[in-house]
Amino acid sequence: MAILDPPPIRCRIGDLRLTYDGLLPLIGTFLCVAALTYLISTIQGAITVRNKRHGSRPPKLPYATPLLGHLPEFLKDTMKFLARATAKYGPSTPVRIQLLNRYMTLLKGAEAVTSLFKSSRDLSSEHWLVQVLVNAFGVEVTDAPFYLADDTGIANHPDPRSNMKNPEHRIFHLVFKSVHSGLSGVSLEEMERQLVRNLSSQIHHTDIKSDSWTQISDLYGSLIRTVAFKASVVSLCGPHVFERIPTFDADFWTFDSALPNLFKEIPRWLAPASYAARDKMKKHLQEWQSFAHEHYDVCQGQQDQREWEEFFGSRLMRTRHEFFQKMPLSKETIAADDLGLVWAATANTVPAIGWMLLEVLQRPELLQRVRDDIAHYVSLDPSDPTQMVVDIPNLCSRPLLQSIYAEVLRLRSGTVINRVPTSNDFHIRGWHFKKGEQIIVSTYDAARDQFVWNQGTIDDPHPVNEFWPERFIRYPDNPNSGPVLQKITQEQAEKTQDPMISEPTFSLDGTAGSWVPYGGGTRMCPGRHFAKKEMIVTMAIFLSAFDIELLLDKDCEIQPDLKYFMFGVMHPEGKIPARIRRRSFQ
Ligand code: HEM
Ligand SMILES: *[C@@H]1O[C@H](CO)[C@@H](O)[C@H](O)[C@H]1NC(C)=O
């Protein structure tokens, strides 16, 4: 009998001494408190929604744990939590969320999100950005005050309320200007050329044969990811990064997978490997930077007319290091800031390139159509067969290729976009948002709004959770085609006096506020033009150079790795075995 009796469980909480018998009432009390908290917060929320007046605060999402708020739920399954928050109180009512002592509001509905992006003047992201730079990328805490002292804003003219006088210390403005000019116009075209040059040369040098298949155990992890990452980094930073640091590629992806821990501010002693991965990347970038400075004098500035040179790579990178030199920042911090840029430039684009290829390779019929489309725009250079020639503007205007691109970003991006009101009377659609409190938008949930997206017809359904390569194509003879519900397409057409289309056309009409993988407003991703070219061009080059067959089990569909949810485009999950051989083409 004694064996069956549960041993008394003792635990000490301060002076409190509990036995098993004492624990039950405590659990009971806890459950009562949780139930009561949930009940009260549910009623409060419902009242707020019912009595909404102009200037009401958004209702709070019901929760069960006092003090912690939604934190337990959020940490347990962020995707499920955001889906619940999105569904609660209908598709366009914002909801407030409490994560321990942090409050934020989830904004939803295309109209509200569009208004948020249009209100850029009354919003800032700088403080949040500094927090990310410090927590995630490792900007030194001692340098944070330098960033925070810059309250001049991103515009050409410093904010009149600011007292900061030194124009060389306007870090947010200088960064903003450099990324916008460096990722457009002739600078962008040169980066595109460097991308094609590097992709061609890497592909020429891989030891994949043309007369027999090569089996690879992970098409994404060991081929696509590496090749796409290298080409992307070379177009941004030049080739010496990889020559100085042969493990740069592998180390970067280790860092990328540590990022969720770093973002969650898990302390160093609990996640030593994550911090070590970041330290290593900072050290690598410092090494490359001092090598580049030894060989290239950034002070020559605009005198060097080249858009790209081997030591700093793009003009964007060179300009950054020119203004960084005039700022009192440590070398560690400059390396960390560059780590942030390298991450922004590759951590979304590279997995997105992976999806472009994998979605097409999983659908033989689509693959054939894509190959037919590409064939006209990719060829070998007759004078140098190691080089491919790509007609980038025309390739990237093909409706099907653009639609696949937009659909990949719709389906696979899971980013949370942040804005913070800078004044106390910020309103969207009658709701009041408090100064200093974050407003967030979930790109994943916006991309699945059933009141917006075209989901096909009863005979030919295309649910929001499925990949539909033609979702973003409008066909002249099919009113059911195009990315959004027919009702919205019509409203849109009336507003813009849309001319009738005479051929299949790529269209984002009606998706403003719902297709937001790049955010929006003045802070919208400045790399989006490059990203689009990279995604389409890299897919085209791979499919021109290789025959690829996936060796997946029948009806096994490649899934996103949810570990990366909230951190941009998610990587494909698991190893993807395939066989591959060189194709002959002219
Ligand atoms: C598919 C690829 C990409 C996606 C999905 C993506 C997504 C985003 C998002 C969501 C933001 C925040 C926007 C906002 O707050 O409204 C952002 C910012 C940024 N992105 Fe991208 N991005 C991509 C590619 C790139 C590339 C290729 C570069 C550079 C070469 C780049 C550079 C940046 C920079 C510098 C910012 C910060 C802008 C600022 O704070 O003003 N991105 N990106
Ligand atoms: C392409 O990138 C690799 C680094 O991954 C580099 O070794 C190679 O020199 C580059 N080639 C060209 C032509 O830029």
Side-chain angles (χ1 to χ4, degrees):
M1 271 312 282
I3 301 173
L4 294 177
D5 279 341
I9 298 172
R10 287 172 192 284
C11 62
R12 286 186 81 139
I13 307 169
D15 286 344
L16 210 66
R17 196 149 193 203
L18 297 168
T19 59
Y20 184 75
D21 293 340
L23 209 58
L24 276 181
L26 195 74
I27 294 173
T29 312
F30 176 77
L31 289 179
C32 280
V33 171
L36 206 63
T37 310
Y38 193 80
L39 186 70
I40 294 173
S41 59
T42 304
I43 295 171
Q44 279 176 336
I47 292 176
T48 314
V49 174
R50 240 182 90 181
N51 299 348
K52 185 199 170 186
R53 283 171 286 109
H54 183 89
S56 296
R57 306 280 312 274
K60 194 163 168 184
L61 187 67
Y63 62 107
T65 42
L67 302 174
L68 298 179
H70 306 101
L71 188 66
E73 221 187 319
F74 176 84
L75 290 180
K76 191 164 159 250
D77 187 342
T78 311
M79 185 183 267
K80 205 166 133 196
F81 170 70
L82 284 178
R84 175 168 94 90
T86 301
K88 191 75 188 174
Y89 305 129
S92 59
T93 305
V95 288
R96 291 183 76 224
I97 293 168
Q98 176 193 353
L99 304 179
L100 200 65
N101 56 350
R102 287 190 197 166
Y103 291 83
M104 59 195 74
T105 306
L106 174 71
L107 196 68
K108 37 184 181 161
E111 240 180 90
V113 172
T114 308
S115 312
L116 179 76
F117 291 149
K118 280 191 185 144
S119 320
S120 294
R121 207 164 46 91
D122 307 310
L123 298 164
S124 82
S125 339
E126 282 90 18
H127 279 241
W128 180 78
L129 212 66
V130 175
Q131 208 174 315
V132 171
L133 282 170
V134 171
N135 293 333
F137 298 106
V139 157
E140 303 286 310
V141 175
T142 47
D143 283 321
F146 175 81
Y147 285 82
L148 293 171
D150 176 17
D151 56 354
T152 64
I154 52 178
N156 282 340
H157 289 290
D159 188 317
R161 288 168 297 183
S162 164
N163 292 319
M164 224 263 299
K165 291 282 173 271
N166 189 343
E168 291 181 348
H169 288 186
R170 294 191 63 200
I171 187 162
F172 294 110
H173 164 67
L174 290 167
V175 167
F176 185 82
K177 200 171 73 171
S178 68
V179 292
H180 281 267
S181 74
L183 293 165
S184 60
V186 284
S187 302
L188 173 63
E189 281 167 21
E190 182 59 29
M191 285 178 71
E192 291 167 14
R193 260 194 299 279
Q194 293 298 334
L195 185 87
V196 171
R197 189 166 88 103
N198 194 274
L199 283 171
S200 318
S201 111
Q202 284 194 71
I203 282 178
H204 181 78
H205 288 107
T206 52
D207 51 6
I208 290 166
K209 296 173 203 63
S210 56
D211 51 358
S212 66
W213 291 97
T214 305
Q215 296 248 357
I216 44 181
S217 60
D218 187 5
L219 176 69
Y220 176 68
S222 63
L223 186 71
I224 301 172
R225 196 181 66 176
T226 304
V227 172
F229 177 75
K230 287 186 172 169
S232 186
V233 172
V234 168
S235 59
L236 184 67
C237 310
H240 290 288
V241 192
F242 294 100
E243 278 153 31
R244 312 297 310 164
I245 307 130
T247 58
F248 193 77
D249 166 46
D251 293 341
F252 177 82
W253 297 114
T254 308
F255 162 75
D256 182 52
S257 73
L259 210 65
N261 277 345
L262 298 169
F263 254 105
K264 286 177 198 149
E265 295 171 52
I266 296 179
R268 193 179 269 266
W269 61 274
L270 278 176
S274 302
Y275 285 86
R278 180 176 83 192
D279 293 343
K280 199 170 184 185
M281 285 307 293
K282 280 170 68 182
K283 203 170 125 270
H284 286 339
L285 284 163
Q286 267 191 71
E287 259 174 64
W288 164 68
Q289 284 161 8
S290 57
F291 175 83
H293 279 300
E294 272 165 37
H295 291 83
Y296 185 93
D297 179 10
V298 288
C299 296
Q300 57 193 296
Q302 300 290 328
Q303 281 167 345
D304 186 347
Q305 309 251 309
R306 290 173 298 171
E307 288 300 329
W308 192 94
E309 52 73 44
E310 63 176 303
F311 295 108
F312 278 101
S314 61
R315 189 187 281 286
L316 162 56
M317 215 63 202
R318 213 192 306 160
T319 312
R320 271 166 81 75
H321 286 277
E322 189 188 345
F323 63 65
F324 277 153
Q325 289 236 308
K326 298 175 192 156
M327 294 174 182
L329 292 171
S330 64
K331 290 205 159 55
E332 288 78 9
T333 285
I334 295 176
D337 204 309
D338 269 3
L339 179 55
L341 180 62
V342 170
W343 185 83
T346 57
N348 286 298
T349 318
V350 172
I353 289 168
W355 286 113
M356 294 286 286
L357 281 158
L358 295 172
E359 298 292 8
V360 171
L361 290 167
Q362 284 180 101
R363 296 170 174 80
E365 227 174 276
L366 179 64
L367 175 61
Q368 195 48 56
R369 285 175 61 199
V370 168
R371 279 200 198 291
D372 293 345
D373 234 7
I374 286 170
H376 306 284
Y377 307 102
V378 184
S379 56
L380 279 183
D381 184 343
S383 62
D384 176 4
T386 68
Q387 284 298 307
M388 297 196 196
V389 181
V390 183
D391 174 354
I392 300 178
N394 284 317
L395 177 76
C396 296
S397 309
R398 301 300 300 162
L400 179 62
L401 303 182
Q402 292 187 89
S403 179
I404 294 172
Y405 149 82
E407 180 70 343
V408 160
L409 289 185
R410 185 192 69 82
L411 202 60
R412 306 306 182 190
S413 129
T415 302
V416 171
I417 293 162
N418 265 272
R419 293 291 186 276
V420 182
T422 51
S423 76
N424 235 329
D425 53 358
F426 187 75
H427 292 87
I428 289 178
R429 305 188 83 222
W431 296 104
H432 175 228
F433 297 84
K434 222 168 129 181
K435 177 181 173 180
E437 208 175 280
Q438 272 178 52
I439 301 174
I440 60 172
V441 174
S442 164
T443 64
Y444 187 89
D445 294 287
R448 283 160 178 73
D449 189 336
Q450 314 239 356
F451 301 94
V452 171
W453 293 96
N454 184 357
Q455 292 143 70
T457 55
I458 293 176
D459 301 326
D460 183 23
H462 295 284
V464 290
N465 260 322
E466 278 175 22
F467 184 83
W468 179 19
E470 300 182 290
R471 198 181 297 269
F472 292 84
I473 302 180
R474 280 179 63 200
Y475 290 91
D477 51 355
N478 182 356
N480 280 320
S481 62
V484 293
L485 300 172
Q486 209 179 334
K487 184 172 74 88
I488 302 176
T489 309
Q490 280 162 358
E491 283 169 13
Q492 196 73 21
E494 282 160 23
K495 251 192 272 170
T496 56
Q497 292 168 345
D498 203 14
M500 292 290 283
I501 49 169
S502 58
E503 51 184 35
T505 308
F506 169 68
S507 169
L508 286 170
D509 291 351
T511 67
S514 305
W515 191 80
V516 287
Y518 296 118
T522 49
R523 303 283 336 203
M524 187 178 194
C525 174
R528 62 193 184 280
H529 309 294
F530 189 49
K532 180 177 180 182
K533 302 279 172 56
E534 270 189 282
M535 287 170 64
I536 295 177
V537 166
T538 311
M539 171 174 78
I541 286 187
F542 262 92
L543 293 180
S544 305
F546 301 122
D547 283 321
I548 307 173
E549 280 177 17
L550 301 180
L551 302 172
L552 294 168
D553 293 338
K554 274 261 169 295
D555 52 64
C556 157
E557 221 186 303
I558 301 168
Q559 296 297 326
D561 187 343
L562 298 183
K563 192 183 127 191
Y564 294 90
F565 181 71
M566 273 188 59
F567 302 101
V569 176
M570 292 172 272
H571 291 264
E573 185 176 40
K575 285 190 162 47
I576 297 154
R579 58 180 199 160
I580 180 165
R581 75 177 171 206
R582 241 176 242 285
R583 281 172 92 227
S584 55
F585 78 111
Q586 299 305 300

